[in-house]
Amino acid sequence: MSTSLAGLRIVVSAGPTYEDIDPVRFIGNRSSGKMGFAIAAAAAQRGAQVRLIAGPVHQPTPRDVQRTDVRSAAQMHAAVLSALPADVYIGAAAVADFTPRSFAGSKIKKQPGEEGLTLQLVRTRDILADVAAHPQRPRLVLGFAAETDEVERYARGKLERKRVDLIAANRVGVEGSGFESDDNALQLFWPGGERALGPASKQVLADALLDLIGERLAAMTPLASPRTDQT
Ligand code: C5P
């Protein structure tokens, strides 16, 4: 039987972000949102109160899930932070790392004789790291890591750097798994442990991931009991 998550407030981010260059062009990525949507659906089925912050995707809203649609990394950042407090944050979105320094209000035209165009990009704010450092930090913060090689080294680096509790790493560029596929394989890392999940459908993986989240929450030190000292 699967672990109940009744009463837990879970915030999930899913999908890509689109960073607008001008009114007709943007920088995006190939994330379909399927993994995050599968997690949100499975968590709601287990009785959690689920907020889903979705980038631009073509996915139906899962039952009993409260969804907010956003477009850019900056909008996703604002929506995720305003969904706190929560007990668990699952950062499954493929957030753009860079965004155009400025938005061109009208369509950028080719100029005669112009051989190239340089776009200036600036870093986006890291939603996952900001959630992990937030005064209303969820008890458990989980990030994803799409890597093409040295999966464990980069995943463990991310655990420490972003101060998160769990990293779900998947190797991208492997046939039949990753971004646009219905199937995936995940390698979960936490301080002192790891577990391989799949290859399996994203629905099966979502359930296994929620089982692990239930286990990790149970293994964590219980919240400090109310202070009894008087000031
Ligand atoms: O460092 P990297 O982008 O590989 O980390 C991926 C994880 O960080 C994912 O969980 C993703 O949702 C999150 N992320 C974020 N904000 C960003 C970039 C990545 O929350 N600006």
Side-chain angles (χ1 to χ4, degrees):
M1 221 197 71
S2 50
T3 340
S4 165
L5 299 175
L8 281 189
R9 294 160 303 175
I10 301 189
V11 178
V12 183
S13 68
T17 63
Y18 285 178
E19 310 303 318
D20 289 326
I21 299 170
D22 69 16
V24 294
R25 305 184 179 97
F26 61 86
I27 300 171
N29 64 67
R30 291 165 56 182
S31 167
S32 64
K34 284 177 190 162
M35 191 69 238
F37 273 63
I39 295 168
Q45 266 172 23
R46 293 177 187 218
Q49 200 181 306
V50 183
R51 289 284 314 271
L52 174 61
I53 315 297
V57 292
H58 300 281
Q59 302 287 343
T61 306
R63 243 183 117 130
D64 298 325
V65 165
Q66 194 189 337
R67 170 177 180 173
T68 303
D69 286 311
V70 297
R71 180 173 172 86
S72 65
Q75 288 169 358
M76 186 172 278
H77 187 280
V80 166
L81 283 144
S82 71
L84 300 181
D87 300 292
V88 176
Y89 174 65
I90 301 175
V95 185
D97 293 321
F98 296 95
T99 191
R101 180 179 291 279
S102 57
F103 171 74
S106 46
K107 188 180 167 196
I108 300 171
K109 309 292 279 179
K110 324 183 260 298
Q111 302 302 332
E114 199 177 42
E115 287 300 320
L117 174 73
T118 304
L119 261 185
Q120 281 221 32
L121 304 179
V122 292
R123 282 287 286 270
T124 56
R125 289 165 75 184
D126 193 308
I127 304 167
L128 186 62
D130 285 357
V131 168
H134 198 272
Q136 292 176 308
R137 186 193 197 279
R139 282 177 64 204
L140 190 144
V141 177
L142 181 151
F144 273 74
E147 306 292 353
T148 49
D149 47 19
E150 293 206 65
V151 175
E152 171 155 14
R153 188 160 76 85
Y154 287 123
R156 290 217 175 271
K158 224 160 276 187
L159 261 186
E160 286 199 7
R161 207 173 49 254
K162 303 201 186 194
R163 298 180 186 283
V164 299
D165 306 293
L166 260 177
I167 285 285
N170 62 319
R171 195 185 287 268
V172 287
V174 176
E175 196 77 21
S177 74
F179 269 14
E180 288 160 319
S181 161
D182 288 329
D183 286 355
N184 203 0
L186 294 176
Q187 190 79 21
L188 282 308
F189 298 96
W190 62 94
E194 68 174 277
R195 184 179 299 175
L197 302 179
S201 72
K202 289 182 176 172
Q203 281 70 27
V204 167
L205 285 177
D207 258 317
L209 191 62
L210 291 175
D211 283 338
L212 181 64
I213 287 174
E215 283 173 37
R216 297 304 307 146
L217 280 171
M220 283 173 166
T221 3
L223 292 175
S225 46
R227 290 175 57 157
T228 48
D229 51 326
Q230 306 286 314
T231 48

